[in-house]
Amino acid sequence: FERFFRLEAAGGILLLAGAVVALAWANSPWSASYFALWQTPVAVELGPVGLRKPLLLWINDGLMAAFFLLVGLEIKREVLVGELASLRQAALPLSAAAGGMVAPALLYIAVAGGGEAASGWAVPMATDIAFALGVLALLGRGLPSALRVFLAALAIADDLGAVLVIALFFTADVSAPVLLAAGG
């Protein structure tokens, strides 16, 4: 058990195994129990103060916030001293990320046509950074270092682009002072 978690690929293995189990369970005859699990109330209490929410919200609002904090710190490191530190270094991963976002969105619009279905254009444009980084961890030392750095920078740039699309196109009201305070 300890040796497994010392492996660089351990996180990727667990992520992919969890995804396979979740897909199989959600599409099985026992799918009702899968969806019921996500609605299980989980409470955190400290004396008279407490918070009680479904498990789904704890993961989406809590664990995902922590995950994106770590991704944000990784983006900051890459921009300051890593593969995104200069425009020359960042040009290829940023271009690849932009193409990887625009092409699926345009293909979706072409297939969906007009109407209500076309409003989902942003869904296929974002790579799941957790899976991308999980696969990188799984492949680990088998990949050349430059390729691993390029793929990580691509996944990070793609995710940053997806967050910008959500902020610009799917937010009812963008507060400039709050955005500037967060950026500062």
Side-chain angles (χ1 to χ4, degrees), residues 74-140:
E74 181 66 22
I75 290 170
K76 182 176 180 178
R77 188 187 71 73
E78 289 294 328
V79 167
L80 293 176
V81 296
E83 284 299 304
L84 303 175
S86 74
L87 189 54
R88 186 168 187 239
Q89 288 177 296
L92 184 60
L94 291 176
S95 299
M101 292 170 59
V102 171
L106 291 175
L107 181 62
Y108 179 91
I109 290 170
V111 171
E116 194 175 317
S119 65
W121 63 271
V123 173
M125 71 182 296
T127 309
D128 189 320
I129 191 170
F131 278 107
L133 296 177
V135 168
L136 282 176
L138 195 62
L139 297 175

Side-chain angles (χ1 to χ4, degrees), residues 16-181:
L16 295 174
V20 168
V21 169
L23 284 169
W25 188 8
N27 292 292
S28 75
W30 305 283
S31 63
S33 64
Y34 173 83
F35 294 106
L37 173 68
W38 294 111
Q39 296 308 315
T40 302
V42 176
V44 174
E45 297 177 348
L46 185 61
V49 178
L51 188 59
R52 182 181 184 87
K53 300 283 180 189
L55 178 62
L56 178 68
L57 290 178
W58 283 104
I59 291 171
N60 284 348
D61 295 346
L63 294 177
M64 291 304 287
F67 172 75
F68 280 108
L69 172 67
L70 293 174
V71 168
L73 292 172
E74 181 66 22
I75 290 170
K76 182 176 180 178
R77 188 187 71 73
E78 289 294 328
V79 167
L80 293 176
V81 296
E83 284 299 304
L84 303 175
S86 74
L87 189 54
R88 186 168 187 239
Q89 288 177 296
L92 184 60
L94 291 176
S95 299
M101 292 170 59
V102 171
L106 291 175
L107 181 62
Y108 179 91
I109 290 170
V111 171
E116 194 175 317
S119 65
W121 63 271
V123 173
M125 71 182 296
T127 309
D128 189 320
I129 191 170
F131 278 107
L133 296 177
V135 168
L136 282 176
L138 195 62
L139 297 175
R141 293 186 175 92
L143 292 176
S145 177
L147 181 59
R148 283 190 316 195
V149 170
F150 167 77
L151 291 174
L154 171 69
I156 289 168
D158 178 81
D159 210 48
L160 186 58
V163 170
L164 287 172
V165 165
I166 291 168
L168 296 174
F169 296 101
F170 295 96
T171 301
D173 183 34
V174 176
S175 172
V178 172
L179 191 59
L180 289 172

